Amino acid sequence: MKWTRVRQKVLATAVPTATAVGVGVAGLGPPVAPATGAPGDSKPAGATAFAEAPTEGAVVVTTGTPGTTTAGTPGTVVAVENLPTAAALPDAGAERRVTYLTTDHRGGIRSSTGAVHVPEGAPPPGGWPVVSYAHGTVGLADQCAPSQVGGTAQEAEFVSRWLRRGYAVVATDYAGLGTPGELAYLDGRAAAHNVIDMVRAARAAAPELASRWVAVGHSQGGHAALHTGRVATAYAPDLDYRGAVALGAPTNLDRLFALGRPGIPRLGVSGLTKFSLFTMAGMRDARPELDIDSYLSPRGRDLARRATEVCSVEFNRYVGAASVGDLLARPVDGLAPAMSDYLGVPADGYDRPLFLGQGGSDLVVPAPLAIAFVGQLGAAGTAHTFRVYPGVDHMGTLTAAFDDAAEFVDRAMG
């Protein structure tokens, strides 16, 4: 079988029961089911061949309801297409962009997109081991999706280093970023599902990928990697999950955010106003019963709306000098249980080892938050490796921690 022929934009959510209509292209096949081979299988059943790129200009239009759908299997491939040049990496031997099905916080089926990067050369026996990379904050708007426009230069080099080391890298955009519905920013459970189902989808699209995999993430993605580590084995027993790497990962944010109230002084966390807005916007969509707007001031509601329209860097100019206290109309301590469920990172429940890397001079995710979480891991008896990199800022952790993280992953892959 060949790559599904589509152009660079999927026009609506697709489910396996949907009707596919080819426009100007004959012979379009149905969505590809996720790989279900036993751990260690290098060629999962139902996989498409990786050799041929899709025809340029082809379009697939599918029926289905935007946002959450009512049918489908997590990890099913809806579409495969050429990876846009902006997202391509020079160290990759082959690359594609996939649209696939995944689940949200409550188990509803969503669609997501992501990139598949395969190293140059022939795969090793058993297939390329897989790094499922979870990216950092880029914003909430559809046009920010990394598989469409690429990520930061630091992230591109970080991913390339994994390719040069002999790992295939699959990278979700997260559901709602470039697909119907909103991105549930820092919704740990939903992000974990997106990261895991990206591996299933990539293996269905590229048969040379092994079932052995690790989760690796930075910043927002580090938060996702930690949540992935708690559920990966149970959520996807068809895969061979080995461990997680979390760099600059925000933890204990549920406790920090619960302090929010009108007039609260600045807490010295760079970008906290923006990240708070992203989180409130995500919770507003994921948990409508919480009436998030009732906690926001008029300025907070306006900024939360604007947050869904532009990417992170551009959004900074709208936030300006606003503080968290400027966003709120009343204290948010009543949201504490919901915040813990939505973005809290538990210290127990991990069945594979963790690696955490932290920049000593990180002002976005300050070291004290990470150190407190590491203490919680120790108290819970969770196996982990923790490294602090003195003088390194938030983005610099990607470079400073790579060698340690790679050695950890090499050992985990066995």
Side-chain angles (χ1 to χ4, degrees):
M1 294 169 59
K2 294 185 168 78
W3 284 93
T4 306
R5 296 177 177 180
V6 296
R7 67 178 172 94
Q8 291 184 1
K9 178 67 176 176
V10 175
L11 301 182
T13 301
V15 296
T17 55
T19 302
V21 182
V23 181
V25 180
L28 290 169
V32 180
T36 57
D41 289 349
S42 61
K43 293 188 178 182
T48 58
F50 200 83
E52 181 176 326
T55 300
E56 292 293 341
V59 181
V60 168
V61 180
T62 54
T63 63
T65 302
T68 301
T69 64
T70 58
T73 301
T76 294
V77 175
V78 174
V80 182
E81 54 195 295
N82 285 327
L83 190 68
T85 301
L89 299 173
D91 291 292
E95 301 175 296
R96 297 292 184 268
R97 185 174 188 262
V98 299
T99 302
Y100 65 98
L101 300 184
T102 185
T103 57
D104 62 17
H105 190 97
R106 297 180 174 180
I109 295 294
R110 296 283 302 273
S111 62
S112 184
T113 49
V116 181
H117 309 276
V118 177
E120 293 183 321
W128 297 110
V130 177
V131 166
S132 190
Y133 180 66
H135 66 77
T137 300
V138 296
L140 308 185
D142 284 344
Q143 66 267 26
C144 314
S147 73
Q148 283 280 29
V149 299
T152 65
Q154 295 96 324
E155 285 186 300
E157 175 57 21
F158 183 76
V159 170
S160 291
R161 293 180 75 177
W162 289 107
L163 291 171
R164 295 195 293 268
R165 202 175 181 93
Y167 290 92
V169 180
V170 304
T172 182
D173 290 327
Y174 309 125
L177 196 58
T179 50
E182 300 296 334
L183 168 64
Y185 182 79
L186 289 184
D187 182 340
R189 191 178 308 166
H193 296 168
N194 301 167
V195 169
I196 298 165
D197 289 325
M198 183 69 212
V199 180
R200 286 169 158 163
R203 294 188 69 234
E208 59 266 48
L209 302 192
S211 64
R212 293 176 293 124
W213 72 284
V214 295
V216 176
H218 174 254
S219 193
Q220 175 192 357
H223 180 270
L226 289 171
H227 278 273
T228 299
R230 297 191 74 248
V231 303
T233 301
Y235 182 81
D238 48 300
L239 299 175
D240 185 8
Y241 167 70
R242 299 296 184 91
V245 172
L247 306 179
T251 53
N252 290 305
L253 287 185
D254 50 324
R255 302 180 185 187
L256 184 64
F257 286 175
L259 300 175
R261 62 195 65 247
I264 186 173
R266 298 181 185 276
L267 300 179
V269 178
S270 178
L272 183 61
T273 302
K274 175 172 67 174
F275 302 136
S276 298
L277 280 163
F278 286 171
T279 302
M280 297 294 271
M283 289 186 70
R284 181 177 58 186
D285 183 69
R287 299 286 301 274
E289 74 279 8
L290 296 175
D291 192 15
I292 292 296
D293 278 352
S294 71
Y295 290 87
L296 297 174
S297 66
R299 187 175 186 185
R301 289 194 296 273
D302 180 66
L303 285 172
R305 175 188 59 80
R306 183 72 66 179
T308 65
E309 299 173 348
V310 297
C311 296
S312 182
V313 173
E314 184 180 354
F315 186 60
N316 289 336
R317 70 184 180 90
Y318 292 100
V319 173
S323 69
V324 172
D326 296 331
L327 309 178
L328 300 174
R330 60 187 175 113
V332 299
D333 49 1
L335 293 174
M339 286 184 172
S340 292
D341 177 63
Y342 181 83
L343 57 81
V345 183
D348 59 1
Y350 301 89
D351 63 354
R352 299 292 186 273
L354 301 176
F355 177 93
L356 295 94
Q358 174 67 41
S361 297
D362 190 338
L363 298 180
V364 177
V365 179
L369 290 177
I371 292 169
F373 180 65
V374 168
Q376 294 159 6
L377 290 174
T382 298
H384 66 279
T385 300
F386 179 52
R387 296 284 185 270
V388 176
Y389 302 95
V392 173
D393 65 11
H394 190 60
M395 294 304 296
T397 308
L398 286 164
T399 301
F402 179 83
D403 288 339
D404 290 335
E407 290 176 7
F408 169 87
V409 169
D410 289 347
R411 289 194 301 271
M413 288 295 191

